[in-house]
Amino acid sequence: MTAPLRLRLDGQALTDNWRTLARMSGRAACGAAIKADGYGLGAIGVAIRLADAGCRDFFVATWAEAAALASLALPVSVLHGVREEDMALALTGVARPVLNTAAQVARWKAAGGGACDVMIDTGMNRLGLSVDALGLLEGLRVDTLMSHLACADEDSVMNARQLAAFAALAGRTRARRLSLANSAGVALGSDYAFDLTRPGLALYGGIPRAEMRDLLAQVAMPEAQVLQRRRVSAGDTVGYNATWTAARQTEVAILNIGYADGYFRGFSDAGSAGGGRFPVIGRVSMDLVALDVTAAPMAEGDWVALDYALPEAAALSGMSQYELLTGLGARFERRWISATV
Ligand SMILES: *Cc1c(COP(=O)(O)O)cnc(C)c1O
């Protein structure tokens, strides 16, 4: 298989990021959110490397995601809990459900399900049982009691409020562990770590808070092959809707990547490649991008690295760092470059 676009994945950066987050988590264990196919990188490749580094707690959203990891036999929790349709698979023990609702709790109890996790809502009002529903947990074997921070990437009063609400649960259940912090929560300080942290974004080089900027390395680097090189004259336009007009004679390379690959239209006239040397010109198409390569020789068949440092790329494209990762499409050949595994 020879795809004309590839995602270079730095396994050393991934495991270094995990070790950094584990260190910042203090005495708490450091898990890994690998939902959405490992935030677009490929959940199996991510999980193998993190398990090798010592990670023992993995989080996915759905049972299909858990089933895809079954061959690795890792401890996986399914954040969306169990629907009736999930029960047959859930009872095989392939993963633990994170029970979110009274109906999920009842379903798991009625089936005599084993160890589970439980999500408590402490103010985000997304998933989870309310604090005053703790009584429902009687009779469940709860491994991890967790909650999720709504605003950990900001300095919001919500953080301390959720921390207090969650800390007040300590000792009120027979849960083996407590877990609150996502990536940004890890940077909020040791109070937020409890027994287990659950970073996702930061593992993959995303920077959710400024404090983490110099601590984490880029993991995913999209590259694409030049499909055609052309010379355009002053006054000519490039791409859909002719939004870019050459001010002078310009050498243009057309790359095998587009918004269908997650190189979103927000990069039109804004993104770059080759460490800033080659600006994106005109509209990003579904499958193609044009670069100004006047600055360097660049021939049909050459490979070019798109600039994809997540905070900068997010600012340029208007997408979140999460969207830039999870949008990375199926057409990439995913190629791990370091020799750690
Ligand atoms: C996605 C998710 C995480 C990881 O969040 P990041 O911001 O990517 O670190 C942790 N916990 C829960 C419940 C999640 O849904």
Side-chain angles (χ1 to χ4, degrees), residues 33 35 39 79 119 126 148 182-183 198-201 322:
K35 59 199 182 186
Y39 285 48
L79 290 164
M119 175 67 75
R126 194 178 63 169
H148 193 50
N182 62 346
S183 298
R198 309 186 305 269
L201 182 74
Y322 295 85

Side-chain angles (χ1 to χ4, degrees), residues 32-45:
I34 58 170
K35 59 199 182 186
D37 201 21
Y39 285 48
L41 275 60
I44 290 193

Side-chain angles (χ1 to χ4, degrees), residues 181-236:
N182 62 346
S183 298
V186 171
L188 292 179
S190 55
D191 289 357
Y192 286 79
F194 292 90
D195 302 308
L196 170 67
T197 59
R198 309 186 305 269
L201 182 74
L203 293 170
Y204 312 109
I207 313 289
R209 292 186 59 94
E211 299 92 309
M212 291 176 144
R213 175 164 276 286
D214 298 324
L215 304 176
L216 302 166
Q218 185 174 353
V219 178
M221 288 150 289
E223 298 179 343
Q225 218 171 4
V226 175
L227 186 55
Q228 185 169 22
R229 180 192 171 101
R230 65 173 61 254
R231 176 170 297 165
V232 301
S233 304
D236 285 352

Side-chain angles (χ1 to χ4, degrees), residues 19-33:
R19 288 192 181 94
T20 296
L21 292 158
R23 197 174 338 107
M24 292 176 76
S25 300
R27 278 199 295 275
C30 183

Side-chain angles (χ1 to χ4, degrees), residues 105 109 129-140 172-173:
V105 168
K109 277 188 189 172
L129 293 167
S130 65
V131 171
D132 44 7
L134 278 193
L136 296 178
L137 307 188
E138 198 55 50
L140 279 179
R172 290 191 53 202
T173 72

Side-chain angles (χ1 to χ4, degrees), residues 12-281:
Q12 188 68 51
L14 175 74
T15 53
D16 284 351
N17 289 345
W18 181 78
R19 288 192 181 94
T20 296
L21 292 158
R23 197 174 338 107
M24 292 176 76
S25 300
R27 278 199 295 275
C30 183
I34 58 170
K35 59 199 182 186
D37 201 21
Y39 285 48
L41 275 60
I44 290 193
V46 167
I48 288 173
R49 286 166 178 80
L50 293 181
D52 194 56
C55 182
R56 291 294 174 268
D57 297 274
F58 294 89
F59 297 88
V60 297
T62 69
W63 289 91
E65 292 181 334
L69 295 165
S71 64
L72 303 182
L74 294 170
V76 174
S77 295
V78 178
L79 290 164
H80 293 188
V82 273
R83 304 167 305 158
E84 200 54 51
E85 300 93 309
D86 300 318
M87 286 302 288
L89 182 55
L91 290 171
T92 67
V94 67
R96 284 199 304 269
V98 180
L99 304 177
N100 292 289
T101 70
Q104 291 188 350
V105 168
R107 186 174 293 127
W108 196 244
K109 277 188 189 172
C116 60
D117 299 330
V118 172
M119 175 67 75
I120 302 291
D121 182 71
T122 52
M124 186 176 187
N125 285 310
R126 194 178 63 169
L127 285 180
L129 293 167
S130 65
V131 171
D132 44 7
L134 278 193
L136 296 178
L137 307 188
E138 198 55 50
L140 279 179
R141 187 144 64 84
V142 181
D143 183 286
T144 304
L145 190 71
M146 63 183 81
S147 190
H148 193 50
L149 295 165
C151 306
D153 56 353
E154 299 174 328
D155 293 325
S156 162
V157 293
M158 272 288 272
N159 295 328
R161 208 182 290 153
Q162 287 194 272
L163 173 62
F166 190 63
L169 303 180
R172 290 191 53 202
T173 72
R174 284 210 285 276
R176 187 171 74 86
R177 300 186 295 181
L178 297 177
S179 174
L180 178 63
N182 62 346
S183 298
V186 171
L188 292 179
S190 55
D191 289 357
Y192 286 79
F194 292 90
D195 302 308
L196 170 67
T197 59
R198 309 186 305 269
L201 182 74
L203 293 170
Y204 312 109
I207 313 289
R209 292 186 59 94
E211 299 92 309
M212 291 176 144
R213 175 164 276 286
D214 298 324
L215 304 176
L216 302 166
Q218 185 174 353
V219 178
M221 288 150 289
E223 298 179 343
Q225 218 171 4
V226 175
L227 186 55
Q228 185 169 22
R229 180 192 171 101
R230 65 173 61 254
R231 176 170 297 165
V232 301
S233 304
D236 285 352
T237 63
V238 171
Y240 278 125
N241 305 103
T243 59
W244 185 87
T245 304
R248 63 189 74 79
Q249 179 175 292
T250 303
E251 299 294 320
V252 176
I254 307 300
L255 289 193
N256 255 300
I257 187 171
Y259 59 75
D261 304 301
Y263 196 74
F264 294 113
R265 279 170 48 119
F267 288 109
S268 300
D269 282 315
S272 60
R277 283 182 303 155
F278 311 125
V280 170
I281 58 178

